[in-house]
């Protein structure tokens, strides 16, 4: 493979970024509507921007320290690539959040001006597509830039840090993993801080509105409501975008690492044509980039189609169509890519040595399995969390029996929803392993993330629609406008739930690839023996850490929520309640931000420090166990958290819509459902979404430092 | 080692069983007190017995079918040993439940007659010690009988079923594993049925008393209350005893299997004195039995001491003393046993070949690590669930904020409580592995279970005291009697929570041993590569199955509870409420039993069928992954369920005791705590306790059938 492919990929990236700019400018040009809308939107925008700025002050310090450590002790230039990863991820976040905070008010206004669902959906999707395409384009751009600037991935180089030189450090691999780690770090901070910010605000607003007072849900008299709007952008836009950007980058980097490890293993035994083997190596490390590029192109086309075509009145159908189109095109273009990459490889290498049972199509079939799993997991998530299906309805039907039954049933729905997505992931792993070994596993992961641009776009539609609905409610727009934004909000809830399922599924795939590449990096046989006491001890401890991490995030959230509810109570004076005075929004926003930032550091740093300490003290195998244990526990937990939270949320909405006969809004049954919803808030938006980045960060740190642990271990 | 050791162990068993009979007769001789007490106790006793009889009708069929299958296809006489395991476990359960249903009313009456805490504790402990010693003595007796009748464990034999002969079936090992599987099967049914029975009754009684009506907790006008009393015996006595009997037997059998596997591995490379190697083999398969016998003797002495000495007014101290004494004696006697077994073994075998870094004391140190972990996990559980410490208090302090905060905080407490016990287990595994390899891991597990007689005795004290308190309340005994039974009940709650922690911890150890022996049974290198896609697919699916199993049990429980609450509502007519008419207890007991039995089959059979299907379709490695994944997920989940449930329960009691200033019994805060308690009921007594037997049964089935999977696999 030669440089031409990078040129093609760069062209696709340029086209995608051009479309991003075009959409961004288009949104900015739309009118904001009434002064009240515009003022409220300005508060949200400035609150979100201030938060990000303050957050980045902490992130910059941590990133800078780590960059110096990497350059000094691991590999000379890897500090730079690490910084670059953090930078690209941050750029995507800032751009996405700006676009979302422009789009929310314009979506509300579009509903007000046109009274058309289709037009309103288009406005929200315009904002969403900026997020989605920016994530994929910027993530890939950074990676290609690292390759072009610091050199292509090679199997025969070694290097070291400015101060120390460790055994077996491959600088070309190190550049990729540190780039990925930079993205990972930013995502970790965004998720942990964003979750705390938004849910402390949300829960405290819920309690003030529904428990302590009797006010409408998004009433602007409650200052916590505004903090909640800001939190939606911080967590669901910035957090989610950086999370998926990191999954996308991590899967590509895992595929590249596995390509190198496989070559090094086969090189020793292969006695045939050396040039054929070298050609195979080139192909294995180029195809992941090609596939990612083809995926980006497919998403661009899918989103342009959705923007150009006339929007009907069933927005979820239209959004699904965009996803399916992008996924379908990725499948088609991926096949072409596979032919170019592997079609002419010597059969002795392809089938006999690498053991690809379906010839040159093997990696493509694996990718298709990943793509299919991604789409299917979305549908399963929808089944378990939407009011159209049995699980959420049966949860709503428990509400008349009181809070205890609602929560217990919600736990059951969440646990039950875990099996199908994991069976899909397990079977995809099994089949892709049979087809193309560990490389197949990496390709299945990459397949799932190759059309990430489309999924993130649809996902980002959710918080924009949610914010638009909130703005419409708090600025008291006309009922027929509210009807449209409510419809959008309901669709947004489903896309958000589907997006969470996708994020967790893709994280599962990505982490498995990372673990495989981690094991390959220290063991030529790629063997991590779980029947060894070192590994099994690591694995059960890894599982326990997931629970501990969940506990920390949960405790932090309810502590902050209590504080903010008390502050809100103080501000809800008779004057504020009568509408004569606006509450002190800024003070509430400040508290939310301060709390989130104060509580972000310990859990985030923990995820990085644990594998490092584990590696230095107990060695590479222990860390391998740690990673696998954490992953095996975190995947079902994250799905449980997301789906039980989603089902709680929608069961409440089901009752509010009057669908549970005899139990209207305000009844005891409704109150029980509200309790479920509040419990679900922490689960789905704080813990569930943070677990996936927790395991990815641990795995990426381990991959970066594997050569260090290999050289230095306290207890052998 | 020679036959003499079996004689010594048999003598210890005989002594223990003699003490069991003595105590059983002593309890029966105690007076039952008033007619009301006696009548109520008779209802409980007959309800429990009827339930067991009906349950065993189903169990007998399943056991018989499996026994035939084993004899036909796996190994000729293993059907018999399988039946024998089920029989011994059933005998222990029946005996224990009889003793508990005699002891409950006599404990209440003893409080009434003596008004002395010490005397009352002694009566309850007398019943408890029957349970504990019967479990350990009968479990061990059966195992020794299997060895004496069907032959000692050997490394050089092979056999087959009546119809087929598979490769690598060792009949002596097969006898042990099928014996263990028989115990496992009974435990599985007991746990699943018992959990459903007791918690459906408990939750429905709670709702009727506290939510739908305003009645005292254990009011005998509510028919569900009586079903709950019966359920306590079914689940906390029969379920718990069979569960720990199976853990105890499974760890011994895992140690024996590992002994064989190690010998077979070392035999190939060892070039020294063959007789020395053979002597080592004999010792490795005798020491587990010796240690178990020493443990039984220690428990007997500890419990006799507790029965003889004057009981003070601080029952929990006295009970702790009995445990510590038993544990301490086990440590001492275990050292002597290790010297006899390994003291004279050739150093070339002991240190150089087997790699025991601390010489003949190595397995003993491992056992001590297990014993220490067992005691420590008990204390950690107490810390997280008792009202004397911060976690449960901080949970109670959340109650004024409402249900959502209570549940979220309870989730956080549960998740946080997972880390320390698992760190202990992990570190014990690591250190014992370093000391004596996989045999060390098995010995650590066995150490934890070697004093199971004492822990089960103390644990069984709980439901007896609970029942006694319930009888005192429902028969309206005098307030000063109730004060004593309340005190006992509070202590019983803690011992039950500690017992749960111990059950889970020991199951974790047992399962790890079983997995290691499983891997050793098909791979000479004892290697299960978790970085292989087959294993990793199995592992994540195994984890998901744990969630699915939890969901099934939870759904079953709340469905039954709803049904029983509705029936209770029907029965609570004005006449019943005014005390003019007794409710129809029998109808309620019938419903509880019918529901529990109807819902028992699917989850129980699932645990057996999953590894079988997995093995036939995807092979031994997939099943290995399945087991490890299920274990890694189930351990933290079970600890979470037990501890969050325990903390909810005690936080409610804390508020009821008036310890939360400004929030008395009956306040909104108290109601929120009651909601937490009801949610915790299903968690701690249905799901948490069933998860450990779920993973043990899966592992034991896999161990039994490993030679079958090895020969027949659909997808290679």
């Amino acid at each position: 493979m030669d440089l031409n492919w990078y040129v093609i990929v760069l062209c696709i990236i340029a086209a995608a970024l051009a479309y991003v700019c075009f959409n961004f400018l288009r949104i900015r040009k739309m009118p904001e509507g009434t002064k009240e809308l515009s003022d409220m939107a300005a508060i949200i925008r400035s609150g979100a921007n201030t938060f990000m700025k303050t957050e980045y002050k902490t992130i910059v310090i941590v990133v800078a320290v780590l960059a110096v450590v990497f350059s000094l002790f691991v590999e000379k230039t890897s500090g730079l690539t690490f910084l670059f990863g953090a930078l690209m991820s941050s750029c995507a976040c800032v751009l996405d959040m700006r676009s979302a905070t422009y789009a929310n008010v314009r979506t509300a206004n579009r509903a007000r001006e046109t009274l058309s669902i289709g037009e309103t959906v288009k406005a929200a999707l315009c904002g969403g597509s900026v997020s989605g395409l920016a994530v994929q384009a910027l993530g890939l751009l950074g990676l290609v830039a690292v390759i072009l600037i610091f050199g292509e991935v090679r199997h025969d180089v070694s290097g070291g840090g400015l101060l120390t030189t460790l055994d077996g450090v491959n600088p070309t691999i190190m550049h990729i993993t540190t780039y990925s780690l930079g993205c990972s770090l930013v995502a970790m901070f965004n998720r942990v801080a964003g979750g705390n910010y938004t849910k402390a605000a949300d829960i405290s607003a819920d309690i003030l509105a529904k428990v302590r007072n009797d006010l409408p849900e998004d009433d602007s008299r409650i200052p916590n409501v505004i903090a909640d709007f800001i939190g939606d952008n911080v967590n669901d836009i910035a957090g989610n975008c950086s999370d998926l950007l990191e999954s996308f980058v991590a899967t590509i980097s895992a595929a590249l690492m596995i390509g190198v490890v496989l070559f090094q293993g086969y090189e020793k035994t292969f006695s045939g044509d050396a040039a054929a083997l070298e050609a195979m190596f080139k192909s294995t490390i180029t195809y992941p980039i090609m596939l990612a590029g083809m995926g980006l192109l497919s998403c661009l086309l899918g989103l342009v189609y959705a923007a150009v075509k006339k929007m009907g009145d069933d927005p979820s159908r239209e959004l699904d169509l965009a996803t399916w189109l992008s996924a379908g095109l990725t499948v088609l273009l991926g096949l072409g890519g596979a032919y170019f990459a592997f079609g002419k490889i010597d059969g002795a290498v392809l089938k006999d040595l690498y053991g690809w049972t379906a010839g040159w199509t093997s990696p493509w079939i694996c990718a298709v399995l990943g793509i299919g799993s991604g789409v299917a997991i979305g549908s399963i998530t929808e089944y378990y969390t939407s009011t159209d299906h049995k699980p959420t309805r049966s949860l709503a039907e428990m509400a008349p029996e009181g809070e205890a039954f609602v929560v217990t049933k919600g736990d059951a729905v969440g646990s039950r929803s875990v099996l199908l997505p994991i069976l899909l992931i397990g079977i995809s792993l099994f089949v892709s392993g049979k087809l193309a070994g560990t490389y197949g596993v990496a390709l299945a992961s990459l397949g799932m993330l190759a059309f990430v641009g489309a999924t993130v776009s649809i996902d980002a539609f959710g918080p924009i629609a949610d914010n638009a609905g909130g703005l419409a409610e708090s600025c008291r727009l006309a009922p027929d406008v509210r009807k449209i934004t409510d419809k959008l909000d309901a669709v947004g809830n489903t896309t958000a739930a589907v997006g969470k399922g996708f994020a967790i599924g893709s994280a599962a795939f990505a982490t498995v690839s990372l673990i495989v590449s981690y094991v390959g990096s220290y063991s030529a046989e790629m063997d991590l023996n779980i029947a060894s006491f070192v590994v099994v001890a690591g694995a059960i401890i890894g599982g326990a850490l997931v629970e501990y991490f969940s506990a920390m995030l949960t405790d932090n959230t309810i502590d902050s929520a209590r504080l903010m509810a008390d502050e809100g109570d103080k501000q809800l004076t008779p004057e504020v309640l009568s509408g004569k005075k606006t509450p002190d929004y800024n003070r509430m926003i400040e508290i939310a931000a301060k709390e989130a930032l104060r509580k972000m550091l310990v859990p985030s740093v923990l995820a990085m420090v644990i594998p490092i300490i584990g590696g230095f003290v107990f060695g590479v195998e222990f860390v391998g166990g740690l990673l696998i244990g954490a992953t095996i526990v975190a995947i079902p937990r994250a799905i449980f958290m997301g789906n039980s939270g989603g089902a709680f949320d929608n069961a409440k909405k089901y009752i509010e819509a009057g669908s549970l006969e005899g139990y209207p809004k305000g009844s005891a049954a409704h109150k029980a459902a509200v309790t479920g919803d509040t419990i679900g808030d922490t689960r789905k938006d704080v813990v569930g979404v943070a677990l996936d980045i927790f395991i990815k960060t641990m795995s990426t740190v381990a991959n970066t430092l594997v050569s260090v642990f290999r050289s230095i271990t306290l207890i052998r």
Side-chain angles (χ1 to χ4, degrees), chain A:
Chain A
M1 230 27 56
D2 44 36
L3 207 67
N4 294 345
W5 264 104
Y6 292 111
V7 175
I8 295 172
V9 170
L10 281 174
C11 291
I12 296 171
I13 292 171
L17 287 177
Y19 188 62
V20 165
C21 292
F22 169 72
N23 273 341
F24 188 78
L25 295 175
R26 209 152 59 103
I27 295 166
R28 283 203 59 171
K29 259 197 282 177
M30 294 179 193
E32 291 198 326
T34 67
K35 182 168 182 307
E36 204 181 354
L37 273 174
S38 168
D39 286 352
M40 194 68 89
I43 296 177
I44 296 174
R45 196 177 307 129
S46 99
N49 288 339
T50 313
F51 176 74
M52 289 289 273
K53 267 185 215 151
T54 331
E55 188 195 351
Y56 275 95
K57 279 182 197 156
T58 307
I59 296 183
V60 161
I61 297 170
V62 177
V63 167
V65 170
L66 284 174
V68 171
V69 171
F70 286 141
S71 281
L72 289 181
F73 300 106
V74 184
E75 197 280 327
K76 289 181 200 70
T77 45
S78 61
L80 289 177
T81 45
F82 175 70
L83 281 175
F84 191 55
L87 185 72
M88 291 310 274
S89 173
S90 305
C91 285
C93 287
V94 170
L95 178 67
D96 292 355
M97 222 170 67
R98 281 194 168 265
S99 125
T101 49
Y102 285 125
N104 53 10
V105 58
R106 286 156 176 89
T107 302
N109 185 53
R110 179 67 74 94
R112 193 180 68 97
E113 285 180 351
T114 64
L115 290 179
S116 144
I117 291 185
E119 286 299 309
T120 315
V121 168
K122 279 203 172 180
L125 189 58
C126 184
S129 65
V130 169
S131 296
L133 289 175
V135 160
Q136 188 164 7
L138 291 177
L140 190 57
L141 175 63
L143 197 69
V144 173
V146 166
I147 291 173
L148 294 180
I149 296 169
F150 296 97
E152 225 184 337
V153 172
R154 287 172 61 188
H155 53 78
D156 52 358
V157 282
S158 69
L162 293 168
L163 292 183
T164 56
T165 300
L166 297 163
D167 223 30
V169 171
N170 178 332
T172 60
I173 285 292
M174 202 50 75
H175 296 143
I176 306 282
T177 55
T178 47
Y179 172 74
S180 171
L181 187 59
C183 301
S184 185
L185 193 80
V186 171
M188 187 80 211
F189 277 107
N190 276 342
R191 271 299 194 201
V192 173
N196 190 287
Y197 191 114
T198 184
K199 285 302 127 173
D202 188 3
I203 294 172
S204 61
D206 273 8
I207 282 181
L208 286 170
K210 294 176 199 165
V211 183
R212 300 199 191 172
N213 304 278
D214 196 21
L215 299 170
E217 189 167 358
D218 278 343
D219 196 297
S220 63
R221 284 170 291 178
I222 305 173
N224 311 51
V225 165
I226 306 301
D228 182 16
F229 291 165
I230 297 172
D232 281 345
N233 291 296
V234 167
N235 194 36
D236 297 346
I237 298 287
N240 193 49
C241 289
S242 51
D243 186 355
L244 281 154
L245 186 145
E246 129 54 30
S247 275
F248 176 63
V249 170
T251 30
I252 307 179
S253 76
L256 300 181
M257 280 186 276
I258 289 173
V260 172
V261 170
L262 286 175
F263 176 87
Q264 288 169 340
Y266 292 138
E267 193 189 19
K268 288 173 198 149
T269 54
F270 187 62
S271 56
D273 179 11
L277 188 60
E278 188 66 33
M280 178 70 177
F281 172 71
K282 283 274 179 199
S283 293
T284 51
I285 60 155
T286 316
Y287 186 60
I289 310 268
M290 277 167 68
L291 185 62
M294 298 289 110
L296 179 58
L297 180 60
S298 308
C299 293
L300 178 60
L301 296 174
L303 290 166
V304 167
Y305 173 78
V308 168
K309 106 178 253 298
K310 208 179 129 36
M311 247 329 142
D313 272 359
D314 184 359
S316 52
R317 251 194 76 141
E318 309 281 348
L319 297 176
D320 281 350
L321 199 68
T323 311
W324 290 335
L325 193 62
S326 308
L329 281 172
T330 309
V331 170
L332 278 182
L333 295 174
L335 180 62
Y339 178 74
F340 278 110
F342 303 108
K344 286 164 203 132
I345 299 284
D346 188 350
V349 175
L350 203 62
K351 290 202 185 173
D352 306 342
L353 189 63
Y354 274 70
W356 288 8
T357 41
W360 63 266
T361 59
S362 305
W364 172 76
I365 301 176
C366 299
V368 172
L369 280 172
I371 294 169
S373 304
V375 174
I377 288 173
S379 308
I380 296 167
T381 310
E382 199 189 327
Y383 172 75
Y384 278 103
T385 57
S386 131
T387 48
D388 294 342
H389 303 284
K390 207 182 134 221
T392 299
R393 287 191 177 185
S394 65
L395 178 56
E397 279 153 18
M398 278 292 164
E401 302 288 343
E403 274 84 0
F405 272 73
V406 169
V407 177
T408 307
K409 181 70 190 175
D411 283 358
V413 169
S415 290
R416 203 175 273 269
S417 72
V418 164
L419 188 61
L420 281 184
I422 288 190
L423 271 182
L424 264 178
I425 296 173
I427 293 171
S428 302
L429 287 176
F430 188 87
V431 176
S432 48
K434 287 272 173 203
L435 281 170
T438 45
Y439 189 71
V441 171
L443 262 286
S445 317
L446 184 53
M448 189 161 179
L449 283 150
F451 64 112
V452 71
T455 50
V456 171
S457 299
I458 308 300
D459 195 7
F461 170 91
I464 293 173
D466 189 12
N467 254 227
L471 284 168
E473 185 159 349
S474 62
C475 297
R476 294 176 211 85
L477 297 188
D480 46 352
V481 178
R482 297 264 295 277
K483 221 170 170 179
I484 294 176
T485 56
D486 279 357
K487 174 90 186 162
L488 248 68
D489 193 11
V491 174
N493 262 324
T494 308
T495 64
V498 171
K500 263 167 211 134
F502 184 83
I504 294 157
S506 64
F509 269 111
T511 314
V512 170
S513 296
L514 287 170
I515 293 172
V516 170
S517 84
Y518 171 83
V519 175
S521 303
Y522 74 80
S523 144
E525 295 80 35
M526 291 193 127
D527 192 2
L528 179 66
N529 182 11
I530 194 88
S532 129
F533 55 87
V534 181
V535 181
V536 82
I540 61 166
I541 292 174
L545 287 171
V546 170
E547 295 274 356
Y548 194 77
F549 183 73
S550 307
M552 274 199 296
L553 297 185
T554 308
D555 270 336
N556 285 347
T557 306
I558 53 175
D559 286 350
S560 303
R562 252 186 140 177
L563 217 73
M564 287 174 71
D566 291 345
E567 170 66 24
D569 244 353
K570 251 188 256 165
Q571 292 196 20
L572 282 175
T573 56
E575 282 160 324
V576 169
L577 282 171
S578 65
K580 281 180 202 148
K581 206 181 127 185
T582 40
D584 189 349
Y585 292 136
N586 285 332
R587 178 156 170 69
M588 188 58 79
I589 294 169
E590 245 173 54
I591 294 180
K594 220 181 89 188
E595 282 295 302
L597 294 170
R598 206 165 60 80
K599 287 168 177 157
M600 144 184 100
L601 207 61
V602 176
S604 307
V605 170
L606 202 68
M608 276 179 294
V609 167
I610 289 168
I612 298 178
I613 294 178
F616 279 129
V617 178
F618 300 107
V620 278
E621 295 202 327
F622 179 84
V623 174
L626 209 63
L627 300 182
I628 196 83
T631 304
I632 289 170
V633 174
I635 299 170
R637 282 288 84 203
I639 298 176
F640 167 89
M641 297 281 173
N643 289 356
S644 70
F648 277 135
D649 190 349
N650 282 329
K652 182 199 71 173
K653 292 218 165 77
Y654 185 76
I655 293 176
E656 285 176 352
S659 308
L660 195 66
E661 236 170 281
Y663 301 96
K665 194 168 171 172
S667 63
H670 176 238
K671 288 223 158 128
V674 169
T675 297
D677 178 39
T678 309
I679 293 166
D681 276 340
T682 313
R683 290 191 182 171
K684 71 181 186 332
D685 291 319
V686 180
V687 181
V689 292
L691 285 181
D692 68 38
I693 181 75
F694 179 70
I695 52 173
K696 281 187 293 171
T697 303
M698 290 220 315
S699 310
T700 310
V701 170
N703 262 301
T704 311
L705 297 179
V706 57
S707 39
V708 183
F709 307 152
R710 209 169 31 187
S711 307
I712 309 160
T713 300
L714 205 62
I715 305 177
R716 288 239 175 236

